[in-house]
Amino acid sequence: MLGPGLLFVVSGPSGAGKDTLVDALRARLPRLRYSVSATTREPRPGELEGEHYFFLAREEFERRRSAGGFLEWREYNDNLYGTPRDFVERTLTEGYDLIMKPEVNGALAVKKAFQDAVLIFLAPDKFSHLRARLLARRTETNEEIARRLEIAHQEFRFVRNFDYIVINEESRSDEAVRDLQAILQAERFRIHRYDDDSIRKLEDS
Ligand code: 5GP
């Protein structure tokens, strides 16, 4: 009864814990594929080409963008970010579930292209924790942190366009990972994912 793969989009403000939680989820679900984005921002220490991002020069990003290579793209904090289209389409057609973690506008753009995509908004239990988390990871300047927090406020306005909200409570991220996993599992059983033929086969067997 398996059809095309399901597309899960985990979004929410920078500092909400998307990276950590999606990594933990992928460790639990080895068959889940991950869509690696392209970006023009500089790699942070420890970030690997092709694993965390495809790091591109702006001209190369723009060239691929003009050629229709991105499913969606956004300028965020003076850098470009985009979801490579081919990988997403191929992976879903092959029947694999796929997860990605764009910022909120990107998530909404993905939903327009794939109405069946499942949008999950990841939020901190307190907005003030965002600032603390961004400070703790020491990868952005104070000015960048201030800008990310401003963007985070704007992102919260779109929360009702999402299908689910998961709260990443301070020091209880295991629970948030479990919540994400529960959503992924439940989505697989939604009745609209099964066509009449599949149901009839069950009845006739
Ligand atoms: P960071 O620089 O912290 O890795 O990412 C900055 C923001 O860009 C995050 O909110 C992240 O989710 C978002 N982002 C990463 N990849 C993409 C993408 O392909 N498309 C969009 N729209 N946003 C992305």
Side-chain angles (χ1 to χ4, degrees):
M1 301 239 302
L2 288 181
L6 306 185
L7 175 56
F8 297 98
V9 185
V10 176
S11 193
S14 177
K18 288 184 296 237
D19 296 352
T20 315
L21 295 192
V22 170
D23 282 354
L25 190 66
R26 289 172 63 203
R28 284 184 186 204
L29 302 173
R31 274 180 58 83
L32 180 65
R33 300 281 164 97
Y34 173 67
S35 163
V36 179
S37 293
T39 183
T40 61
R41 87 151 160 71
E42 291 293 317
R44 295 185 189 129
E47 282 186 331
L48 301 174
E49 167 69 19
E51 191 175 319
H52 296 95
Y53 280 107
F54 296 108
F55 295 99
L56 302 180
R58 187 169 269 262
E59 304 74 64
E60 176 60 13
F61 190 106
E62 287 169 350
R63 195 191 61 73
R64 292 190 195 185
R65 185 178 63 188
S66 312
F70 295 120
L71 184 62
E72 61 74 38
W73 66 272
R74 280 292 175 280
E75 180 133 27
Y76 177 95
N77 227 353
D78 299 333
N79 286 302
L80 298 169
Y81 294 82
T83 306
R85 180 189 296 279
D86 285 359
F87 180 78
V88 173
E89 292 178 349
R90 190 167 8 101
T91 306
L92 294 175
T93 311
E94 285 171 0
Y96 289 97
D97 292 348
L98 179 63
I99 196 160
M100 56 172 67
K101 45 182 171 68
E103 49 64 69
V104 167
N105 290 299
L108 299 177
V110 170
K111 184 87 179 182
K112 270 198 184 145
F114 289 88
Q115 304 203 338
D116 213 26
V118 179
L119 263 55
I120 306 169
F121 192 96
L122 187 64
D125 49 343
K126 286 194 180 138
F127 198 90
S128 57
H129 288 156
L130 287 181
R131 185 163 189 278
R133 285 194 198 144
L134 290 173
L135 277 170
R137 75 182 189 196
R138 293 165 177 271
T139 48
E140 285 89 15
T141 62
N142 286 347
E143 206 179 45
E144 273 165 6
I145 290 177
R147 260 187 299 175
R148 279 180 184 242
L149 291 175
E150 207 181 294
I151 296 171
H153 276 296
Q154 290 162 16
E155 292 186 313
F156 259 89
R157 293 202 203 122
F158 294 100
V159 69
R160 291 228 171 259
N161 294 78
F162 281 67
D163 299 302
Y164 294 94
I165 182 165
V166 168
I167 312 289
N168 188 14
E169 248 185 85
E170 199 71 353
S171 55
R172 296 176 78 176
S173 59
D174 271 8
E175 278 187 25
V177 178
R178 271 202 297 272
D179 292 343
L180 286 174
Q181 195 171 355
I183 293 169
L184 266 61
Q185 264 161 353
E187 279 294 327
R188 166 79 41 228
F189 301 115
R190 290 183 61 139
I191 198 73
H192 76 266
R193 302 206 186 281
Y194 297 93
D195 59 21
D196 290 345
D197 275 356
S198 316
I199 306 283
R200 208 168 301 121
K201 269 188 208 142
L202 285 179
E203 203 184 342
D204 293 344
S205 59

